[in-house]
């Protein structure tokens, strides 16, 4: 209602002016209750002319023409009509504004001619009507100009917004191209090194079997881990090229991860509580990466130890924990490396929390909580 307040105040001011002018004009008739009702109808119509321009225009024109006929209000009866004609033309109702202007002027002129005394020259009536005609033409033209100016300003603002959005899209596209270039470089360099490791492990396995010996579990684990690493590198590059078509890793592949870790000589026990739900893709991938990095740290730093992976599915959150029972004092400070920092960035970027610390009874624990209800 606040935007309508200036229109209401304008209607009240015009109504007071009309009643005051009718009370002091020498040639005006006495003001009665019906005339006051007509003025109130005009003020009420002006109050809503911003939202309903055409109905307000018709009400104001009819009430002011009736007021002029009843009390002979003169030119002052056209002021409210001029205002609503301008607003209607400004809001785009050009035909309604023009037709109403002609109808009001025709009624105004017809009454002046019929009510003019014999001693009053007709030239004055024609001059006053011509003056009103100029005012109404100006009101219509001013409304059209104001509408075109507003449309021009909106078009300029839209162009500025489009230009800003285009700049942002170009920046995002360039960032994506740079990420893809970096991914290609990493893929080429890492794939070469991992391929060498995998080939050497495969040769060792082949020679062992050729001599009738059972290959060492460590060699088999290296061979399988090398193949898995190459697959994940290719999948990561495919994600950057076409995210929708790539085969993403997720928590449904944690069992495969546990099997590879067991093949490397680390006993792993997997526990799942709650029913696996449809997780967001980012949460599913981040949970898998947390388990992967935590098991890698167990195999590298925990020594002869076992690990327990626990996935707790709840309606509001997903909890991923990896605990090992390796030796080591609990008071030793944790120095975050690339792996822990990467896990923390993945988890906190999704609004979750990550805890990584030594346990009092020995070993190390990693616990990540991902919110699933949108709360950080």
């Amino acid at each position: 209602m606040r935007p309508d307040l200036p229109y209401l105040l304008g209607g009240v001011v015009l109504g007071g002016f009309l009643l005051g002018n009718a009370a002091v004009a020498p040639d005006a008739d006495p003001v009665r209750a019906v005339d006051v009702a007509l003025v109130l109808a005009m003020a009420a119509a002006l109050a809503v002319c911003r939202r309903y321009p055409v109905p307000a225009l018709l009400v104001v024109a009819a009430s002011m023409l009736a007021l002029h006929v009843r009390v002979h209000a003169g030119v002052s009866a056209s002021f409210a009509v001029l205002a609503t004609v301008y607003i209607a033309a400004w809001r785009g109702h050009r035909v309604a504004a023009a037709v109403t202007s002609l109808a009001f002027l025709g009624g105004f002129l017809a009454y002046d001619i019929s009510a003019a005394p014999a001693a009053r020259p007709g030239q004055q009536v024609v001059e006053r009507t011509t003056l009103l005609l100029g005012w109404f033409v100006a009101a219509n033209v001013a409304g059209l100009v104001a509408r075109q100016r507003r449309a021009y300003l909106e078009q300029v603002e839209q162009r500025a917004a489009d230009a800003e959005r285009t700049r942002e899209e170009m920046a995002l596209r360039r960032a994506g191209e740079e990420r893809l270039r970096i991914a290609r470089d990493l893929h080429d360099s890492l794939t070469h090194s991992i391929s060498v490791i995998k080939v050497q492990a495969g040769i060792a396995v082949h020679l062992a079997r050729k001599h009738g010996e059972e290959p060492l579990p460590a060699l088999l684990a290296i061979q399988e881990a090398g193949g898995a690493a190459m697959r994940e590198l290719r999948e990561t590059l495919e994600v950057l090229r076409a995210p929708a078509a790539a085969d993403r890793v997720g928590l449904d592949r944690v069992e495969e991860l546990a099997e590879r870790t067991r093949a490397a000589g680390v006993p792993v026990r997997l526990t799942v509580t709650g029913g696996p739900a449809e997780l967001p893709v980012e949460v599913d991938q981040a949970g898998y990466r947390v388990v992967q990095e935590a098991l890698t740290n167990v195999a590298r730093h925990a020594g002869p130890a076992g690990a327990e992976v626990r996935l707790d599915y709840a309606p509001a959150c997903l909890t991923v924990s990896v605990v090992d029972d390796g030796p080591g004092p609990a008071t030793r400070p944790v120095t975050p490396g690339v792996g822990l920092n990467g896990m923390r960035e993945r988890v906190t970027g999704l609004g979750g929390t990550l805890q990584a610390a030594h346990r009092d009874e020995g070993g190390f624990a990693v616990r990540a909580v991902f919110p699933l209800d949108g709360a950080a």
Side-chain angles (χ1 to χ4, degrees):
M1 295 298 294
R2 184 174 298 178
D4 296 329
L5 186 59
Y7 298 92
L8 176 61
L9 294 177
V12 171
V13 171
L14 283 176
F17 174 75
L18 284 171
L19 294 177
N21 181 68
V24 300
D27 57 343
D29 296 335
V31 177
R32 296 179 174 81
V34 177
D35 306 320
V36 175
L38 291 174
V39 173
L40 292 177
M42 178 273 299
L46 273 179
V48 297
C49 66
R50 182 183 66 88
R51 289 180 290 173
Y52 310 104
V54 175
L57 175 63
L58 297 178
V59 171
V60 170
S63 60
M64 290 299 95
L65 187 59
L67 182 68
H68 176 61
V69 171
R70 288 183 55 82
V71 301
H72 199 68
V75 177
S76 60
S78 64
F79 293 163
V81 185
L82 286 169
T84 50
V85 164
Y86 168 80
I87 294 172
W90 172 53
R91 297 300 299 275
H93 304 283
R94 296 176 297 178
V95 176
V99 171
T100 305
S101 300
L102 292 176
F104 180 81
L105 286 173
F108 196 94
L109 177 61
Y111 175 75
D112 279 359
I113 293 175
S114 62
R120 185 178 182 182
Q123 182 181 359
Q124 294 182 1
V125 176
V126 174
E127 289 178 353
R128 186 168 71 172
T129 305
T130 304
L131 178 63
L132 283 178
L133 177 62
W135 287 359
F136 274 96
V137 171
N140 281 272
V141 172
L144 295 177
V145 171
R147 179 174 178 81
Q148 291 179 355
R149 183 176 182 275
R150 185 181 67 172
Y152 171 75
L153 293 178
E154 291 177 352
Q155 188 178 16
V156 170
E157 293 176 358
Q158 184 63 34
R159 287 179 179 176
D162 292 341
E164 183 67 23
R165 185 170 59 253
T166 302
R167 284 194 295 268
E168 293 177 357
E169 292 174 354
M170 290 179 63
L172 290 175
R173 185 169 59 252
R174 290 173 181 172
E177 293 173 354
E178 182 65 17
R179 286 196 301 268
L180 184 57
R181 184 189 64 80
I182 295 173
R184 288 197 186 108
D185 293 342
L186 287 174
H187 175 267
D188 295 340
S189 60
L190 292 178
T191 301
H192 173 73
S193 301
I194 295 173
S195 296
V196 172
I197 295 172
K198 182 183 177 184
V199 168
Q200 294 297 327
I203 292 174
V205 171
H206 175 71
L207 292 176
R209 288 173 177 169
K210 184 177 181 180
H211 291 87
E213 299 175 0
E214 186 65 26
L216 294 176
L219 289 175
L220 296 175
I222 291 173
Q223 188 180 24
E224 186 176 356
M230 292 183 63
R231 286 195 301 272
E232 289 190 7
L233 280 173
R234 285 194 295 267
E235 291 170 2
T236 302
L237 188 60
E238 288 298 326
V239 167
L240 292 174
R241 284 175 174 167
D247 181 17
R248 299 184 177 93
V249 295
L251 292 175
D252 57 340
R253 298 175 60 177
V254 168
E255 182 61 38
E256 301 176 13
L257 195 59
E259 287 293 337
R260 291 200 299 268
T261 308
R262 294 188 191 106
V266 179
V268 178
R269 185 171 69 254
L270 176 62
T271 304
V272 180
T273 60
E278 284 292 334
L279 299 176
V281 175
E282 295 82 3
V283 174
D284 199 21
Q285 290 180 340
Y288 177 86
R289 295 303 183 188
V290 167
V291 176
Q292 183 184 43
E293 184 61 32
L295 290 179
T296 301
N297 289 339
V298 171
R300 292 174 57 189
H301 306 297
E308 179 183 4
V309 179
R310 186 179 183 88
L311 305 179
D312 295 324
Y313 293 91
C317 66
L318 166 69
T319 303
V320 177
S321 59
V322 180
V323 180
D324 67 78
D325 54 3
T331 57
R332 185 176 60 187
V334 178
T335 303
V338 177
L340 281 179
N341 288 332
M343 280 195 289
R344 192 175 302 279
E345 289 173 359
R346 287 180 183 273
V347 176
T348 56
L350 296 172
T353 58
L354 178 74
Q355 297 174 351
H358 294 283
R359 300 195 301 161
D360 295 336
E361 60 272 23
F364 197 81
V366 175
R367 184 173 184 269
V369 179
F370 299 91
L372 301 179
D373 55 356

